[in-house]
């Protein structure tokens, strides 16, 4: 928050028998900038007495405004309120001129700062908007920019991230017009911080790096500058942390703490390092930091930011308890409960309901962990009621989830399901901001979002209460919502258009299987045409399932071994065998898997019943969510395709010598095509061609990588990497002559990232963001000769009348399966179809 000492606007005559009030004012200003706020208060109070004796109302109003800022720093809210009220009354009573209007504007800025400290966010924005009008009229650009920065921070505090970002973007074009380097640096690091918050990590680097560069050039003797430098380093640490650069983040946090003396920023840097150590499982070092942080926190005052620092610490202690021995756990729980109770009292004292809800809910979590269920429930319900009263959905969903856990612990399954359902409904409302549901204490998606859905599904499928069929429908909806939420988190943007799809109306020969990996078991929901939902479960833990998937993946990569069979049969037993008869009796042709977790990383075609692979009996398709499918049959007309690929070694990737033959054969099969190989296979050539001609099929034979991180998911072109966003821009360009979606995107020679349990999320993300109705891609890079044969068979089938995309994929896979040279799943299994199977 930018709280700026205001300068005097007039000079005073020298007092014969006392120190000049101007000198006292300036000395107070120096004390303030050094963080010696009590000393600043003393000399400003002396200056105020002299100004009152002189009837110097203008300088009196200005000094009172500054005095309010010092009281705010010390948490002396009543004094801060009294002095700023006096300042505004006096400045508004003055004759209207430039000096008095400037005094009013600066007092309003101070009033807004006070409101923020007290958690009165909307009041602060209103006051700052009034001040902004005056700053603009006065042509005071520096103050205008500070005011806008304050408004942006207030919007962020309310959870209005996009509005905050837009506000900060509006300032950037004004920065070249001002000469205050310190203010420029502040504007830049605020902008970079907001870009980090909304997930634009690459864009965030430039303003944050530039801010630190400016601050490094300013004098290190200026404590105000050191404070700003500390903040910039803290922001860079947060950026590095989100990028997964743990060591870099830790270094930035340490430098931030060293850049200035005792300050809130210093403590925030220590708190972020503390939570980072816990997150990276460096528990011994985290435990060593406790006493140092606790001592610093005890010196803090009662502003909103300082209370949140205590809550941050308390919640980090609660996370640490999960990894410590019982005697240490008990001590940590007691310490967390104490500091969270203090935080709640302080939030109540300053009448900040949002902060109070955070504190009470976190305290409820401390009681939950210590098994004091009744007390935990009471605190959680208080926190929830407060959050709902201020429409804080981002907080409320956490306490609804917590309430669900507590009710479940009491055996009240019915009401637990209701609480969980409300939490999931809240998450749906927050979908655009899922990455940032708790900006003050950021935990990962897998800790604060995913478990809500999974725990709800677990309760619904226990079958102990309510209508079983209704519960199955609710569980199906919840897992669909989770899959969409996970993609939103992957993109760090809500760029998905979801719509309900009734499979029974679209394809009466398709079954849908939802495997759901829960902590203690695997649940499967089966949807058959015109039949009630079914479900069955296996006693296999999520850890066991992950190990099984890893074994299967590794064994499939060895074309000389059949060790994959035992894993392929076990997973078949869990997913298919309990319903094999029902599926067969329903005359199913296609099985659609809405795969979950690590199961996305394996091809379902390889599942084995002991006699045959699943692909030998059924067409198979995958989808991250049925709500993301556009289920329309491919138009049977003269097929045209844009074909591109690399045969040469490029950018550290090996050559793909058979790609040339593959693409030439496809070109023969699809006469209406444009082909780009090697030096012609560039982003620019692809863009130009897509603008001028419509292509229902795009085929790219090149190295590609699918990862659980969007920035590590890409396709290789001759001149660089084609990211998900690059592909989106190419296929969704407003200049394209045909804006219809691509019917089929085919990606060969790609692979999922080794060692990444959620790597296939990148494949789903690529497919969804490309906007193609269907995508065929490989989970691992396959022998060139086998790939070429597969693709030729695929295109022959696609050209046939009344053949679905899923059937064409199966035909191509079976062509290899029947070829003695390529009948091992290594050659044919990695090819998967995502999206529309018709």
């Amino acid at each position: 928050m930018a709280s700026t000492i205001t300068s005097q606007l007039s000079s005073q005559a020298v007092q014969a028998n006392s120190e000049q009030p101007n000198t006292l004012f300036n000395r107070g200003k120096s004390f303030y900038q050094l963080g010696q706020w009590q000393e600043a208060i003393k000399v400003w109070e002396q200056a105020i007495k002299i100004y009152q004796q002189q009837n110097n109302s203008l300088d009196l109003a200005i000094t009172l405004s500054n005095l309010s800022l010092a009281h705010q720093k010390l948490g002396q809210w009543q004094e801060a309120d009294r002095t700023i009220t006096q300042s505004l009354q006096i400045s508004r009573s003055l004759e209207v001129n430039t000096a008095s209007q400037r005094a009013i504007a600066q007092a309003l800025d101070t009033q807004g700062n006070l409101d923020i400290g007290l958690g009165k966010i909307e009041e602060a924005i209103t006051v700052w908007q009034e001040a902004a009008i005056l700053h603009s009229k006065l042509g005071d650009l520096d103050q205008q920019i500070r005011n806008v920065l304050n408004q942006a921070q207030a919007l962020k505090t309310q959870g209005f991230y996009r509005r905050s970002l837009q506000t900060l973007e509006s300032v950037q074009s004004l920065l070249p017009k001002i000469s205050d380097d310190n203010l420029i640096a502040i504007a830049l690091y605020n902008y970079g911080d907001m870009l980090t918050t909304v997930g634009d990590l690459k864009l965030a680097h430039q303003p944050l790096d530039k801010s630190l560069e400016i601050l490094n050039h300013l004098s290190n003797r200026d404590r105000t500058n050191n404070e700003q430098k500390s903040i910039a380093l803290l922001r860079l640490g947060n950026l590095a942390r989100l990028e997964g650069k743990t060591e870099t983040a830790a270094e930035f946090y340490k430098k931030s703490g060293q850049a200035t003396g005792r300050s809130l920023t210093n403590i925030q840097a220590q708190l972020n390092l503390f939570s980072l150590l816990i997150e990276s499982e460096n528990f011994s070092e985290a435990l060593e930091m406790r006493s140092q942080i606790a001592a610093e926190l005890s010196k803090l005052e009662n502003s909103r930011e300082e209370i949140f620092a205590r809550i941050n610490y308390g919640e980090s202690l609660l996370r640490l308890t999960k990894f410590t021995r019982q005697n240490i756990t008990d001590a940590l729980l007691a310490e967390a409960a104490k500091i969270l109770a203090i935080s709640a009292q302080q939030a109540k004292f300053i009448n900040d309901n949002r902060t109070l809800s955070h504190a009470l809910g976190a305290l409820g979590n401390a009681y939950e962990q210590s098994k004091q269920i009744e007390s935990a429930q009471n605190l959680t319900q208080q926190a929830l009621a407060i959050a709902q009263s201020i429409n804080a959905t981002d907080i409320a969903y956490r306490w609804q989830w917590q309430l669900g856990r507590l009710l479940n612990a009491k055996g009240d399954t019915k009401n637990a399901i209701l609480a969980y359902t409300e939490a999931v409904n809240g998450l749906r409302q927050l979908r655009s901001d899922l990455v940032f549901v708790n900006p003050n204490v950021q935990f990962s998606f897998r800790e604060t979002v995913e478990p809500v859905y999974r725990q709800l599904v677990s309760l619904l499928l226990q079958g102990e209460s309510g209508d079983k069929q209704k519960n199955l429908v609710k569980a199906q909806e919840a897992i669909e919502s989770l899959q969409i939420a996970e993609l939103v988190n992957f993109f760090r943007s809500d760029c998905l258009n979801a719509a309900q799809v009734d499979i029974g109306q679209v394809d009466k020969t398709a079954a849908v299987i939802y495997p759901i990996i829960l902590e203690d078991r695997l649940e499967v929901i089966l949807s058959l045409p015109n039949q009630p939902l079914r479900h069955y479960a296996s006693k296999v833990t999520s850890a066991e399932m992950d190990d099984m998937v890893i074994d299967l993946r590794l064994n499939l990569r060895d074309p000389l071994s059949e060790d994959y069979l035992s894993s392929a049969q076990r997973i078949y037993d869990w997913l298919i065998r309990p319903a094999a008869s029902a599926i067969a009796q329903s005359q199913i042709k296609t099985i659609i898997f809405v795969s979950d977790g690590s199961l996305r990383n394996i091809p379902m075609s390889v599942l084995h019943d002991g006699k045959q692979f699943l692909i030998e009996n059924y067409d198979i398709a995958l989808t991250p969510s049925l709500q993301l499918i556009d289920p329309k049959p491919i138009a049977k007309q003269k097929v045209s395709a844009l074909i591109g690929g690399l045969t040469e070694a490029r950018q550290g990737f090996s050559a793909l010598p058979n790609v040339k033959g593959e693409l030439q054969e496809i070109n023969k099969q699809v006469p209406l095509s444009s082909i780009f190989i090697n030096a012609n296979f560039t982003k620019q050539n692809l863009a130009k061609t897509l603008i001028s001609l419509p292509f229902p099929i795009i085929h790219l034979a090149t190295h590609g990588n699918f990862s659980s991180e969007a920035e590590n998911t890409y396709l290789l072109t001759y001149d660089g990497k084609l990211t998900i966003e690059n592909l989106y821009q190419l296929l969704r360009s407003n200049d394209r002559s045909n804006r219809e979606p691509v019917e089929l995107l085919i990606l060969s020679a790609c692979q999922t990232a080794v060692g990444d349990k959620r790597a296939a999320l990148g494949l789903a993300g690529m497919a969804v963001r490309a906007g193609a109705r269907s995508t065929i891609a490989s989970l691992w890079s396959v022998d060139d000769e086998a790939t070429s044969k597969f693709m030729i068979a695929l295109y022959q089938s696609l050209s046939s009348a009344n053949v679905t995309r899923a059937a064409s994929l199966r035909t191509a896979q079976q062509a290899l399966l029947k070829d003695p040279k390529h009948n091992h799943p290594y050659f044919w299994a990695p090819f998967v179809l995502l999206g529309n199977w018709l």
Side-chain angles (χ1 to χ4, degrees), residues 27-43:
R27 191 192 304 168
K29 183 177 176 180
S30 297
F31 281 134
Y32 183 95
Q33 290 173 339
L34 290 168
Q36 298 173 14
W37 299 305
Q38 195 64 59
E39 289 80 357
I41 288 172
K42 288 178 182 176
V43 294

Side-chain angles (χ1 to χ4, degrees), residues 100-265:
S100 64
Q101 292 295 287
R102 186 166 286 134
I104 293 170
Q106 291 172 345
L108 288 169
D109 283 336
T110 301
Q111 176 69 62
N113 203 68
L114 173 62
D115 288 336
I116 279 288
L118 294 172
K120 299 176 181 177
I121 315 298
E122 292 179 5
E123 290 92 329
I125 291 175
T126 300
V127 169
W128 279 330
Q129 286 172 342
E130 184 183 349
I133 294 169
L134 288 173
H135 289 313
S136 179
K137 286 180 179 178
L138 292 164
D140 193 339
L141 188 57
D142 285 16
Q143 286 299 117
Q144 195 176 338
I145 288 173
R146 288 190 178 94
N147 181 281
V148 172
L149 295 180
N150 284 337
Q151 290 188 54
Q153 184 65 28
L155 288 167
K156 180 185 176 185
T157 301
Q158 287 185 302
F160 299 135
Y161 304 109
R162 299 292 171 182
R163 282 177 58 193
S164 178
L165 181 61
Q166 289 166 1
T167 302
L168 289 165
E169 283 173 341
S170 71
V171 168
Q172 302 308 303
S173 62
L174 301 176
L175 298 185
K177 300 177 183 179
I178 64 174
S179 57
D180 185 340
D181 284 341
N182 197 58
L183 179 57
I184 292 171
I186 293 170
L188 286 168
Y189 72 57
N190 274 290
Y191 182 45
D193 178 51
M194 202 62 233
L195 286 168
T196 302
T197 302
V198 300
D200 291 333
L201 304 187
K202 288 184 179 179
L203 290 178
H205 272 285
Q206 195 274 334
L208 286 174
D209 291 340
K210 182 65 176 175
S211 173
L212 185 60
E213 181 186 336
I214 292 170
L215 291 166
N216 280 333
H217 280 92
L218 295 175
S219 171
N220 285 326
R221 291 175 296 176
D222 183 347
R223 186 190 181 280
T224 303
N225 171 55
N226 285 340
E227 174 70 14
Q228 304 314 324
K229 184 176 176 180
S230 179
I231 295 172
L233 288 163
L234 176 62
R235 303 286 188 256
L236 281 162
N238 293 340
L239 174 58
R241 184 174 184 172
L242 281 175
E243 291 178 320
K245 300 174 182 175
T246 302
E247 292 182 7
T248 303
E251 194 60 32
F252 275 127
Y253 290 148
K254 288 174 184 175
K255 287 180 179 178
S256 175
Q258 295 163 359
T260 185
R262 183 178 66 85
S263 72
L264 180 58
T265 307

Side-chain angles (χ1 to χ4, degrees), residues 269-325:
Q270 291 182 58
L271 287 168
N272 284 13
L273 178 58
F274 183 56
S275 66
L276 180 65
L277 291 170
I278 297 168
E279 188 178 284
S280 55
E281 301 185 1
N282 192 342
F283 305 126
S284 58
E285 194 173 338
L287 286 168
E288 288 175 10
M289 287 191 70
R290 279 174 59 208
S291 57
Q292 178 186 351
I293 294 175
E296 293 294 331
L297 287 172
S298 67
K299 301 171 187 175
L300 293 181
E301 304 301 334
N302 289 2
S303 75
R304 182 180 189 277
E305 288 183 327
E306 288 158 327
I307 296 169
F308 258 114
R310 292 188 178 92
I311 296 171
N312 185 332
Y313 178 60
E315 293 196 313
S316 288
L317 288 175
L318 293 178
R319 296 182 74 214
L320 186 56
T321 60
K322 298 173 184 177
F323 307 102
T324 53
R325 295 190 306 274

Side-chain angles (χ1 to χ4, degrees), residues 404-417:
R405 297 196 305 269
L406 293 165
L407 290 167
N408 187 43
K410 291 173 67 175
D412 188 352
T413 307
K414 182 178 179 180
N415 284 315
I417 287 173

Side-chain angles (χ1 to χ4, degrees), residues 88 94 233 268 273 297 397 640 664 676 704 767 826:
L88 277 167
L94 297 171
L233 288 163
Q268 287 171 334
L273 178 58
L297 287 172
Y397 99 87
S640 63
Q664 288 175 341
F676 300 95
Y826 165 77

Side-chain angles (χ1 to χ4, degrees), residues 448-469:
T448 61
V449 176
E450 187 175 339
V452 186
Y453 291 94
R454 293 198 186 281
Q455 290 166 19
L456 171 59
V457 169
S458 181
L459 284 175
L460 289 166
L461 296 182
Q462 284 176 359
E464 295 178 2
S465 65
D467 184 303
K468 185 174 181 181
Q469 190 58 214

